[in-house]
Amino acid sequence: MEKKPHFVRREFLPREVPSISLALLLAAVLLLNVLLYLYLNKFSSSLGRVDTDPGLCPFGHFRLGAVKNCSPWLSCEAINREVRKLKCVGEGAVKKVFLSEWKEKKVVLSQLTNSELKEDFLHGLKMLKALQSKHVVRLLGYCEQEFTILTEYHPLGSLRGLNETLHIPKYKGMNTWHRRLMLAIDYVSVIRYLHSSPLGTLVMCDSNDLDKVLSQYLLTSDFHVLVNDLDALPLVNRSAGMLVKCGHRELRGEFVAPEQRWPYGEDVPFEDDLMPPYDEKTDIWKIPDVSDFFLGHVEGSDIVRLHLFDIHAACKRKDPAERPSAQDVLDTYRKVLTLLIREAAMPGAREML
């Protein structure tokens, strides 16, 4: 009789230990899935940032920094009286850009430099006013009479300096495939916004080479992408038969879309009047090259490229009508990010089991 309890212990104890271990493992896996869900949900909400920022002020107003109240766009008088130029930080074909100061805050003052291009300057101002959103640099004021625009200052500058920024010790932690893919998603989000803007389908024409594209966008301090230069943003209206041409000169090179190149061969001299117009799918053609820059050469970036191969191949189709829309590209990018985050988390779960 005394051996029965001993026999019972020998029979059941080995079964209880695995049961407890399995319960703990299942609980750990469940917790991991909950954390993964919250993580993906967080990035899903940040990726799906609405075009109209609920934190934005009413039209004609702005809010700068931590200030809660909205202020009206600064007028000519206010800009002349309250804004102080500090130094010139850039100059392009249309305007000169000055780092400036307004009420002890850094701002950017842009001024027309070539009177022959005043229509481009005013077009950029019109676009800037109409397209205020999370995708566009914040407008603080303007003076049409003096061809002056005041915008928010972003110390990290244009995307041309992205790789240099990511090598600064303060930002090295951002130099990952995940963060780089997030920037590419931001970029495609801007293109999608322009293609479905409140004004209609807009084409980013200042994009004849990679360096030019990168110069049109800013990197914010919290590592998001904003479009900054809207001087060359013509409208496509298919129903009215309205297509576009990016400038009046011949475009060359593999970076620009095939339909942007002279179609009649080297033996026929270029004539702007004979050059066929095109639509917004020129922007789609350039997405793979710009994204390749964003992804860089960090650990994991080649895996991202592999997952994006099919959508990028579709972007490079010669027939513009066969290329995906910016929304299609954006949806694919988001799915790839979610998939790769899940794959990065799941190996830990598999090891636990």
Side-chain angles (χ1 to χ4, degrees), residues 293-305:
F293 168 81
F294 277 121
L295 293 175
H297 300 284
V298 297
E299 183 179 355
S301 63
D302 286 342
I303 298 298
V304 179
R305 286 185 178 90

Side-chain angles (χ1 to χ4, degrees), residues 8 40-41 55 67 124 135 150 216 224 238 250 263 286 295:
V8 169
L40 292 174
N41 190 55
V67 177
H135 304 292
L150 193 70
Q216 310 301 303
H224 283 292
R238 285 192 191 82
E250 183 178 1
K286 298 160 188 173
L295 293 175

Side-chain angles (χ1 to χ4, degrees), residues 247-273:
H248 304 288
R249 292 180 291 182
E250 183 178 1
L251 301 179
R252 296 175 178 269
E254 292 299 315
F255 188 82
V256 297
E259 63 270 24
Q260 291 184 281
R261 302 171 211 155
W262 180 243
Y264 303 117
E266 295 289 340
D267 296 334
V268 181
F270 176 82
E271 286 188 43
D272 184 42
D273 291 340

